[in-house]
Amino acid sequence: MPLNSRVVAKSARSPHVVLLAGEFTAETVRELGFGVTVLRCDGTDRDALLAALAEADAVLVGDAPVIDAEAIAAAPELKIIARAGAALGNVDVAAATERGIQVTDAPEAEALSVAELTVGMLLAVARNIPQAHAALTAGAWQRSLYSGVELSGKVLGIVGLGRVGGLVAERLRAFGMDVVAYDPYAAPERAAALGVRLAPFDQVLAAADFLSVHVPGTGETAGLLDFDALNRVRPEVRLVSVSGTGAFDTNELYAALKEGRVAAAALDLSAAREPADAALAGLDNVVVTPGLAVRSDEAGQRAGAVAAEAVRLALAGEYGPNVVNTHGHAIGDTVRPWLALTERLGEVLTAAAGSIPQHLEVRLLGDLAAEQAGILELAALKGVLSGPSRHPTSLVNAPLRARERGMTVRLVTETEAGSHRSAVALRGIRADGGSVRLAGTLSGLRRHPRLIEAFGHELELPVDGNLAFVSYPDRPGAVGAIGEELADADVNIESLWVARDADTGTALAALVTDVPVAKDVLASAAARVEASHSCTVRAGGKPQPSGPSGRYR
């Protein structure tokens, strides 16, 4: 099928358009599910890419297409950029974040292929396989010249004991190698489980017969293996890196290989090669490959499936596990059900306050306080800031939108949650000093979202319908009067909770209605009961103008 083409899954009247920018298999299209229109573009034709992005709700990105700020600006409906791979060098994450667009990657999908190529490259330099092959095909039979070394009993040094480094350690321990690793971020328990001894960088360099490098070669690891490092290794050491040459001072590596201070190297080069890479490739004791680390059929299929799953979730308004621009907050399975509730509490808070608060306090109560639940701070911000805008607020850009408004936020955890196992409480403080506090929980086996506190009153009310709140002086007949006004407007009350405060002589009527309560209807009901405050919030999070306003604690 041509790469610049259109495929419609199930229905030509699909609500969502997904662009496949790069080479993707038919299996990836199937993973997207039914009910989407699929566009294809190889990404090499810039004009075609920009034109396709103009109607895309989501884009799956391969290795080549560049999704930069210009491309993102050309995609007004874009909700997610799903990179089918680990590297995000071709995606402008900052520009996507500004727009509230999710950016996801698929690092785990390629890890096994990267690890297996590492093992293959290490075997190649241990036994001089490429050089012997080249000599034999050129007509030379030179067994003695290409005698190599065994792996068994040798020391493998690993720099970077992440997912790939761990897989390499597991496989090469099966060859009888002793594995020592340098990684300041590795957990000792994980290293022990892998049979790996953690050691300082200098000790790993001095001990290694083979050195396998698994760091990106950017930021703090750029040029990590410099002149000093390469002078600490054994002269018989063989180096392997399938992450390019960014972690090396390539000029020093060339000199060390040329002078015999390093015995051999195997390098999987990146497409954006350093000028020194060509010189390295010309050495007899260097094996090079053209960026093959992630190039396996299985890795491509897994990466496509992971990206397709991320797209499905994003188009359903959800967030998958590989979103890279949620400001370092993971979304665990325990926390995920609380996202919608917390966002909804934020929507209700803004409606109740009459405006977006200047300061927001998010409290995680009970068992929830022990979870990695910082993402709920973003969910609360998203709800508070929801409303009409050119680019809607999301978990991705909520902190940026808050900073633009001069809004501050604080996350607090408390182990007590009253009569509930867990709860989320929000407190918004307005510019005039008035404040509103709400709390909610997930109730029952089905985890229904419930509002359990509002305006100083305890209650229990479904939070996901059309809501209306009226705070008034407590007296007989008030609830009936509110009901009459709504009935006259053909508004049916689905749920009602009346909370009374004997100390203040006030009451709160909290209602769920079948249709949103119109502004004039709410104002009439509020006037009949001499309400101090009233507000409504539509199902789906569209706040309605408040009636008479007041301040709450």
Side-chain angles (χ1 to χ4, degrees), residues 92-304:
D92 190 331
V93 178
T97 301
E98 155 65 9
R99 276 275 307 278
I101 297 167
Q102 293 184 42
V103 179
T104 68
D105 61 2
E108 300 298 312
E110 299 171 340
L112 182 58
S113 286
V114 175
E116 289 186 354
L117 182 67
T118 300
V119 174
M121 296 283 266
L122 191 143
L123 286 166
V125 293
R127 302 301 293 271
N128 299 307
I129 296 171
Q131 294 91 335
H133 170 81
L136 186 58
T137 55
W141 186 274
Q142 298 174 316
R143 286 194 302 176
S144 60
L145 182 61
Y146 296 114
S147 178
V149 297
E150 293 180 347
L151 304 186
S152 180
K154 301 299 192 302
V155 175
L156 170 66
I158 292 180
V159 179
L161 195 65
R163 174 64 172 158
V164 174
L167 290 172
V168 170
E170 288 178 330
R171 281 147 183 78
L172 289 174
R173 284 190 70 242
F175 280 80
M177 300 192 79
D178 178 26
V179 184
V180 59
Y182 166 70
D183 189 331
Y185 305 105
E189 299 81 6
R190 177 172 176 267
L194 291 169
V196 175
R197 178 170 59 88
L198 293 175
F201 186 48
D202 288 350
Q203 290 184 22
V204 172
L205 295 177
D209 297 299
F210 293 83
L211 189 66
S212 188
V213 180
H214 300 284
V215 293
T218 57
E220 63 181 318
T221 62
L224 180 65
L225 285 107
D226 55 12
F227 174 82
D228 290 337
L230 292 172
N231 274 293
R232 290 190 176 95
V233 299
R234 298 179 177 184
E236 63 269 21
V237 74
R238 289 163 170 82
L239 305 180
V240 178
S241 174
V242 297
S243 304
T245 57
F248 295 88
D249 181 324
T250 48
N251 292 322
E252 292 300 335
L253 177 60
Y254 177 87
L257 286 160
K258 189 78 171 175
E259 297 166 7
R261 291 183 282 118
V262 170
L267 308 169
D268 188 46
L269 303 178
S270 63
R273 295 187 300 275
E274 296 288 334
D277 289 350
L280 286 167
L283 295 175
D284 292 338
N285 54 347
V286 173
V287 176
V288 292
T289 50
L292 298 183
V294 301
R295 303 296 291 185
S296 71
D297 293 343
E298 294 83 357
Q301 291 166 2
R302 286 193 298 267

Side-chain angles (χ1 to χ4, degrees), residues 50 211 219 334 354 414 435 442 489:
L50 296 179
L211 189 66
T334 302
E414 296 179 4
S435 66
L442 299 177

Side-chain angles (χ1 to χ4, degrees), residues 383-408:
V384 165
L385 296 168
S386 65
S389 65
R390 183 167 176 264
H391 297 303
T393 302
S394 71
L395 298 186
V396 169
N397 65 355
L400 176 62
R401 296 286 178 261
R403 286 195 297 271
E404 290 172 348
R405 289 180 168 272
M407 180 181 174
T408 59

